[in-house]
C-alpha cells in the first residue's frame, strides 16, 4: 500500500521520515513551557505525536503545522493503522482538559472510524473547511474487490458489508420466496427517473426515496411496504450499506437466485436525506392505460430506454403474481398460486412464477391458459410492430433475452443515482455470466412442465 500526498507517491521510507520529523519536534522541546507541569507537558507531547502519526496517513504535507508551532493542531483524528487509533484515544483523554474542542472532535472521529477501515475522513466534524482548497489525498489499494487499482477510501457503501448483505438476502429469498417483491422494490425506486431533469435528487431514480411513507403510499407502490419490512433487519445489521444500494442489491440478487442472468451491477449510491426529496406520484407505468404502447413509450422513453429495452424489461413479469386488492388486476387465486409458496393467492403471468426464464413471452404469445395473467401492457408487446420484433425473438431465444435483460436491468438500477465514488463499487470478482442458474424454489410452483 502506498500513500499519495499532493498527488505524489510517498514510499514507506519517506513516510517514516515524516514521522521522525514530526516526533523530533516534540523531543527537541517544541512544547517546552515553564508554566506547565511535567505531566501536562507529557500529555501535550502525546497529543502532538498522535496527531502527526494519524495525519501522515491522511493529509497533505501542507496540512502539517510548523515544527515551532506553539500549540497542537486542532484537527479531528482519523484512524491511523496500528498506532493511530490507540494513540488517538489516549490523546483524546489527555486533551479533555487542555483542548476541550479538539478532544470532542477527536473522540467523535474515533468512535466512527473504528467500525470499518473504509470510513470516510470527511464524516468527522470540522474536516470540511480544512479540505476546502485542497485535493483529497487518495490511497492506492491492490485488491480485486475494486474495479480499479486506485480507489478512494470514501464512499457511500462499504464493499464488505455489501457482500455480507447479499448473502443475507439469499437466505431471505430461500425462506420467504419473495423474489418478485424485491425485484419490484428495486424497479420502483429507480423507475421514477426523469432524464429531462438535471438536478439531483429532483430527477428521481435509484436514490432510496422509496423508504419514506409518502412515496410508499403511491398507488403503484401498493404492497411494497412488505418488501421494506423484510429488508429492514438487513439494513439495521449493515449500517454501512445505503438504502439505495440495498434496494438494487436485493432486486439483482432476486433475479440471479431465480435462475436469471448475472446482472453487471455497481454500488455506491447515495441516499436522499428525507421525504421532501421523494418524487411526485405518477412517474411509474400503469397496468391498463387506454393506449398501452404509447403509455409504455411515454414512461420508458422519459427514462432513456428504447423499444428493445422496454420489451426486455417487461420479461421480468415471468416472476410474480398480481393481486387484485393491490393493483385491481388478476384473480384472487389460481391453480398455480393457491398453495403458495409464500402467501397464497393472486394470478401469475407464468406457471412457474418463481423461475426466471423466457416463459413470459411464450405464454403471452400462446394465450392458451386462462389462469395466466395477460395485462394490456403485456398483450401490446405482440401487437405493436416494433415491440413484436423483440417479443418474438425472446420467445424463441432465451439466451438473447437474458443478455438484453441483464443490460437493461443494470441500466435501470443506475438511473438518477449519485455514486460515491463516482465510478461506483463492484463487488463481484469475475466477469458477468448470463447463463441461467438452477433455482430450487421453482419446484414449489405447480402446473405443467
Amino acid at each position: 500500500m502506498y500513500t499519495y500526498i499532493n498527488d505524489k507517491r510517498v514510499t514507506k521510507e519517506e513516510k517514516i521520515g515524516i514521522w521522525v520529523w514530526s516526533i523530533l519536534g516534540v523531543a527537541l522541546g517544541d512544547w517546552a513551557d515553564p508554566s506547565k507541569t511535567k505531566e501536562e507537558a507529557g500529555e501535550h507531547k502525546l497529543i502532538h505525536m498522535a496527531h502527526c502519526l494519524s495525519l501522515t496517513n491522511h493529509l497533505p504535507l501542507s496540512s502539517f503545522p510548523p515544527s515551532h508551532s506553539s500549540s497542537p493542531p486542532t484537527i479531528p483524528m482519523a484512524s491511523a493503522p496500528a498506532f493511530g487509533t490507540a494513540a488517538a484515544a489516549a490523546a483524546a483523554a489527555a486533551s479533555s482538559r487542555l483542548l476541550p474542542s479538539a478532544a470532542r472532535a477527536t473522540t467523535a472521529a474515533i468512535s466512527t472510524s473504528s467500525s470499518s477501515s473504509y470510513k470516510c475522513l470527511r464524516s468527522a466534524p470540522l474536516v470540511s473547511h480544512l479540505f476546502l482548497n485542497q485535493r483529497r489525498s487518495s490511497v492506492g489499494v491492490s485488491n480485486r474487490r475494486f474495479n480499479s487499482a486506485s480507489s478512494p477510501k470514501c464512499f457511500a457503501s462499504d464493499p464488505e458489508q455489501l457482500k455480507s448483505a447479499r448473502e443475507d438476502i439469499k437466505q431471505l429469498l430461500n425462506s420467504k420466496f419473495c423474489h418478485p417483491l424485491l425485484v419490484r422494490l428495486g424497479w420502483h425506486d429507480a423507475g421514477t427517473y426523469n432524464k429531462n431533469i438535471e438536478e439531483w435528487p429532483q430527477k428521481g431514480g435509484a436514490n432510496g426515496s422509496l423508504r419514506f411513507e409518502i412515496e410508499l403510499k403511491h398507488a403503484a407502490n401498493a404492497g411494497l411496504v412488505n418488501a421494506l419490512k423484510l429488508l429492514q433487519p438487513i439494513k439495521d445489521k449493515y449500517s454501512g450499506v445505503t438504502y439505495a444500494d440495498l434496494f438494487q442489491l436485493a432486486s439483482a440478487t432476486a433475479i440471479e437466485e431465480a435462475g436469471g442472468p448475472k446482472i453487471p451491477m455497481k454500488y455506491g449510491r447515495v441516499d436522499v436525506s428525507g421525504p421532501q426529496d421523494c418524487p411526485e406520484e405518477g412517474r411509474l407505468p400503469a397496468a391498463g392505460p387506454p393506449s398501452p404502447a404509447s403509455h409504455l413509450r411515454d414512461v420508458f422513453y422519459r427514462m432513456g430506454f428504447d423499444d428493445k429495452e422496454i420489451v426486455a424489461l417487461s420479461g421480468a413479469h415471468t416472476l410474480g403474481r398480481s393481486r387484485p386488492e393491490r393493483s385491481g388486476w388478476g384473480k384472487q387465486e389460481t391453480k398455480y398460486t393457491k398453495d403458495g409458496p409464500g402467501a397464497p393467492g393472486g394470478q401469475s403471468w407464468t406457471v412457474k412464477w418463481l423461475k426466471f426464464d423466457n416463459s413470459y413471452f411464450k405464454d403471452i404469445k400462446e394465450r392458451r391458459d386462462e389462469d395466466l395473467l395477460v395485462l394490456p401492457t403485456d398483450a401490446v408487446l405482440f401487437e405493436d410492430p416494433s415491440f413484436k420484433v423483440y417479443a418474438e425473438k425472446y420467445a424463441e431465444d432465451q439466451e438473447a433475452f437474458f443478455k438484453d435483460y441483464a443490460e437493461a436491468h443494470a441500466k435501470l438500477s443506475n438511473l438518477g443515482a449519485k455514486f460515491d465514488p463516482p465510478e461506483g463499487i463492484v463487488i463481484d470478482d469475475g466477469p458477468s455470466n448470463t447463463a441461467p442458474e438452477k433455482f430450487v424454489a421453482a419446484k414449489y410452483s405447480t402446473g405443467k412442465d
Side-chain angles (χ1 to χ4, degrees), residues 40 63 88 127 144 198 298 323 336 350 381 407 410 443:
E40 289 174 333
S63 296
V127 170
R144 63 182 181 181
E198 295 183 1
D298 288 344
R323 296 182 180 273
Y336 304 122
T350 62
L381 300 182
E407 293 174 356
K443 68 184 180 183

Side-chain angles (χ1 to χ4, degrees), residues 9 82 100 111 134 162 164 166 183 185 252 272 274-275 287 299 366 417 449:
R9 190 169 76 180
S111 65
Q134 298 184 30
L162 282 165
S164 298
R166 180 170 57 185
V183 172
L185 178 70
V272 295
V299 172
E366 295 175 358
D449 294 330

Side-chain angles (χ1 to χ4, degrees), residues 177-254:
F177 308 108
C178 53
H179 304 67
L181 189 62
L182 297 188
V183 172
R184 183 166 165 246
L185 178 70
W187 272 46
H188 283 216
D189 192 47
T192 60
Y193 175 68
N194 187 339
K195 68 178 183 180
N196 301 312
I197 300 175
E198 295 183 1
E199 297 78 14
W200 185 93
Q202 290 87 343
K203 66 175 72 176
N207 56 30
S209 64
L210 191 46
R211 72 189 189 272
F212 295 111
E213 184 179 7
I214 187 174
E215 188 171 346
L216 281 170
K217 287 185 174 180
H218 290 178
N221 294 327
L224 285 180
V225 64
N226 298 317
L228 190 62
K229 288 178 180 178
L230 289 172
L231 288 179
Q232 191 59 50
I234 297 176
K235 179 66 177 76
D236 294 340
K237 183 177 179 181
Y238 303 107
S239 60
V241 176
T242 63
Y243 278 99
D245 272 349
L246 183 62
F247 294 167
Q248 300 309 319
L249 175 66
S251 183
T253 303

Side-chain angles (χ1 to χ4, degrees), residues 326-363:
R326 296 178 184 172
S327 67
W329 293 87
K331 299 179 180 180
Q332 288 292 340
E333 68 174 30
T334 70
K335 61 178 176 286
Y336 304 122
T337 65
K338 64 181 181 178
D339 297 321
Q347 186 176 13
S348 60
W349 284 266
T350 62
V351 174
K352 294 187 176 181
W353 47 269
L354 283 176
K355 180 176 177 60
F356 193 96
D357 57 21
N358 67 336
S359 60
Y360 166 79
F361 298 104
K362 293 179 178 179
D363 290 335

Side-chain angles (χ1 to χ4, degrees), residues 248-391:
Q248 300 309 319
L249 175 66
S251 183
T253 303
I255 293 291
E256 295 167 10
E257 289 297 293
K262 185 74 174 177
I263 312 296
M265 298 291 290
K266 67 177 182 177
Y267 300 95
R269 296 169 187 80
V270 176
D271 280 336
V272 295
S273 59
Q276 72 278 0
D277 297 322
C278 291
E280 72 281 1
E281 189 168 6
R283 294 193 186 185
L284 295 170
S291 178
S294 296
H295 175 72
L296 287 175
R297 289 191 172 98
D298 288 344
V299 172
F300 284 92
Y301 283 9
R302 186 205 70 217
M303 291 188 272
F305 290 110
D306 58 25
D307 286 357
K308 180 181 77 171
E309 292 166 323
I310 292 173
V311 178
L313 288 172
S314 297
H317 276 157
T318 192
L319 295 178
R321 303 163 283 177
S322 177
R323 296 182 180 273
E325 67 272 19
R326 296 178 184 172
S327 67
W329 293 87
K331 299 179 180 180
Q332 288 292 340
E333 68 174 30
T334 70
K335 61 178 176 286
Y336 304 122
T337 65
K338 64 181 181 178
D339 297 321
Q347 186 176 13
S348 60
W349 284 266
T350 62
V351 174
K352 294 187 176 181
W353 47 269
L354 283 176
K355 180 176 177 60
F356 193 96
D357 57 21
N358 67 336
S359 60
Y360 166 79
F361 298 104
K362 293 179 178 179
D363 290 335
I364 292 176
K365 183 178 180 179
E366 295 175 358
R367 297 199 199 184
R368 295 178 181 176
D369 194 332
E370 292 184 353
D371 270 347
L372 296 181
L373 180 64
V374 180
L375 298 172
T377 47
D378 300 319
V380 76
L381 300 182
F382 282 91
E383 297 168 354
D384 180 89
S386 178
F387 288 159
K388 185 177 180 179
V389 172
Y390 303 106

Side-chain angles (χ1 to χ4, degrees), residues 92-110:
S95 64
S96 61
R97 297 192 309 274
L98 301 173
L99 294 167
S101 61
R104 284 193 297 271
T106 300
T107 304
I110 294 169

